[in-house]
Amino acid sequence: EKIKINDNRIKIKFICEKDEYIKSRRKFLRESKTLSTGNIIFLIIMTIIEIFFLAIHEFFFSIIIGVLLIISYVMVYILYFLQPGKLYDKTDFIKKEMLFEFSEKEILATINKKTGKTNWNIIKEIWESEEFIFLMQSNISYTLIPKRAFKENGDTLSLRKMYINANPNGKYKNIK
């Protein structure tokens, strides 16, 4: 059953700040399981095993595990600490003013004075945290909306209702 919404449109305007983008990107990496607690626990356990092999002078396995650990720690460092800031610096449109207009039928996005129109059906899932809304188009592609862009608290609920009405099989996920 469709939820009734007035013919109102939700209009938001924002510029994504660098620290905000970095925080949201790290949240995405954790929530998408690209970099999960399980990955970190595994690295810690492998580090303990590495120390054990070094302690018993088993250098063959110690060298193999050590090299793999170094590669893994460097990758985590790059992915989690370096890449979000570099991605922000490299991507011009993220730093521009963005205007979104949401209605029951469509989403209008204006970035850098260019407007695009899309239907709700491209949004496969909505992730909502305390500070951000992620409009997920796929497992790796999303549109970030800071909640500070909404004028009223009820607008985020209305956005979710619009999505559910337009995409009944769509998923909603509240994230930490």
Side-chain angles (χ1 to χ4, degrees), residues 50 53-54 56-67:
E50 170 68 5
F53 279 138
L54 284 171
I56 64 169
H57 302 291
E58 180 57 57
F59 295 113
F60 177 74
F61 288 115
S62 176
I63 290 170
I64 293 171
I65 292 173
V67 168

Side-chain angles (χ1 to χ4, degrees), residues 151-169:
K151 293 177 183 144
E152 299 177 22
N153 289 340
D155 286 347
T156 57
L157 179 60
S158 295
L159 179 74
R160 191 181 333 155
K161 288 177 183 177
M162 286 178 187
Y163 170 67
I164 290 168
N165 282 345
N167 198 349
N169 295 326

Side-chain angles (χ1 to χ4, degrees), residues 107-156:
I107 303 168
L108 294 174
T110 304
I111 302 167
N112 207 18
K113 298 181 182 177
K114 295 179 184 168
T115 301
K117 179 170 69 170
T118 188
N119 294 323
W120 280 104
N121 63 358
I122 69 149
I123 308 299
K124 304 300 178 210
E125 190 170 5
I126 290 181
W127 295 356
E128 184 175 350
S129 74
E130 192 173 304
E131 297 176 75
F132 307 107
I133 292 178
F134 298 83
L135 302 177
M136 304 297 298
Q137 289 94 31
S138 70
N139 292 339
I140 59 171
S141 178
Y142 63 90
T143 300
L144 174 69
I145 300 173
K147 281 188 165 179
R148 66 174 170 78
F150 291 94
K151 293 177 183 144
E152 299 177 22
N153 289 340
D155 286 347
T156 57

Side-chain angles (χ1 to χ4, degrees), residues 14 17 19 39 61 81 84 88 117 125 141-142 160 175:
F14 63 92
E17 302 296 330
D19 60 333
N39 297 104
F61 288 115
F81 294 102
Y88 181 88
K117 179 170 69 170
E125 190 170 5
S141 178
Y142 63 90
R160 191 181 333 155
I175 61 175

